[in-house]
Amino acid sequence: MSDAFVFAPPAPPSVAVAGSSARFPVRRIFCVGRNYAEHAREMGNDPDREPPFFFTKPADSLVEDGAELPFPVATEDLHHEAELVVAIGRGGQDITREDALSHVWGYAPGNDLTRRDLQAEAKAARRPWDMAKGFDASALCGALRPVAEVGHPAAGRITAHVGGELRQSGDLAEQIWPVADVIAHLSRLVALAPGDLIFTGTPAGVGPIKPGQSCRVEIEGLGAAEVRYQGG
């Protein structure tokens, strides 16, 4: 019995590590919805009523800092969502809040790019968000910085600039569910594994990116991640 593949498998998705030639292999991408109160309100929801909920993006939807991309297909309303990205280095299930941060390998700035018009249509039809959130090149992630270098940032400014204009400005301390809580909640639903990334939600101020524009997300102490779209 042959173990050969019918075609050569693609290289595993990975993310750069700041200051190193080594790369962080990526297994899965989880995203937290409505984790900042003001963003929950701007999307028409009550932030005080629900525990965190999660959706996913394909691992190969990753985009790295400095990418120049064609504008996404099937949308006229592409939105930026500046986020803290958590990289899991040690797996586990039913992780306690007290132990959660010991499972983190590092952190990076990220952007949960969203086809907002498709998301609105899906919500109205009570259908899944997959094509609004998990499209090609929808998960921008900057270079990871290991915990040994940056610790566990519980506070710090997070911003998004589009074409040089400040669109989002918040603080990690404003998260409804801090990183330890997010990991604990998620690990009750799935067994986390090394290589998982968690996008931890976005502050208020999400809005459109147009063809020809760039979007830069920056988090205090963690650097920046920027993407530019062709056209315009």
Side-chain angles (χ1 to χ4, degrees):
M1 185 174 181
S2 173
D3 292 327
F5 294 104
V6 297
F7 57 84
S14 64
V15 174
V17 175
S20 172
S21 60
R23 296 183 65 83
F24 184 89
V26 175
R27 183 170 182 263
R28 296 175 295 186
I29 301 174
F30 299 97
C31 304
V32 184
R34 304 173 196 155
N35 198 23
Y36 289 75
E38 288 305 314
H39 173 61
R41 293 187 184 101
E42 77 177 346
M43 300 302 289
N45 299 286
D46 184 343
D48 299 320
R49 286 189 174 178
E50 58 185 17
F53 71 92
F54 302 90
F55 56 92
T56 62
K57 292 175 180 269
D60 63 3
S61 69
L62 278 169
V63 180
E64 294 195 77
D65 175 41
E68 182 172 342
L69 302 172
F71 196 77
V73 299
T75 186
E76 295 181 359
D77 196 19
L78 177 70
H79 276 210
H80 55 83
E81 297 192 9
E83 310 211 0
L84 171 70
V85 180
V86 178
I88 298 297
R90 183 165 67 92
Q93 192 161 26
D94 293 321
I95 298 167
T96 66
R97 184 188 188 284
E98 293 71 26
D99 187 47
L101 294 183
S102 72
H103 291 255
V104 178
W105 188 90
Y107 298 90
N111 195 337
D112 167 20
L113 295 156
T114 302
R115 296 193 285 201
R116 192 70 74 198
D117 41 3
L118 270 63
Q119 186 186 37
E121 292 170 8
K123 286 181 177 180
R126 305 185 74 175
R127 292 174 178 167
W129 295 0
D130 296 57
M131 292 300 100
K133 289 288 193 176
F135 57 98
D136 296 339
S138 62
L140 173 65
C141 186
L144 287 166
R145 296 181 184 274
V147 167
E149 176 187 334
V150 298
H152 296 285
R157 192 174 185 224
I158 176 171
T159 60
H161 287 79
V162 175
E165 174 193 356
L166 179 63
R167 293 279 190 83
Q168 291 182 269
S169 181
D171 196 284
L172 300 180
E174 297 167 356
Q175 291 181 340
I176 299 170
W177 299 98
V179 170
D181 295 280
V182 167
I183 292 172
H185 275 281
L186 182 56
S187 73
R188 293 173 197 152
L189 302 172
V190 296
L192 293 175
D196 289 339
L197 297 182
I198 306 173
F199 282 59
T200 56
T202 191
V206 299
I209 309 171
K210 301 295 185 184
Q213 290 186 320
S214 63
C215 182
R216 177 182 176 87
V217 173
E218 189 164 2
I219 299 178
E220 183 180 347
L222 296 179
E226 184 170 1
V227 63
R228 177 177 296 277
Y229 288 101
Q230 299 165 0

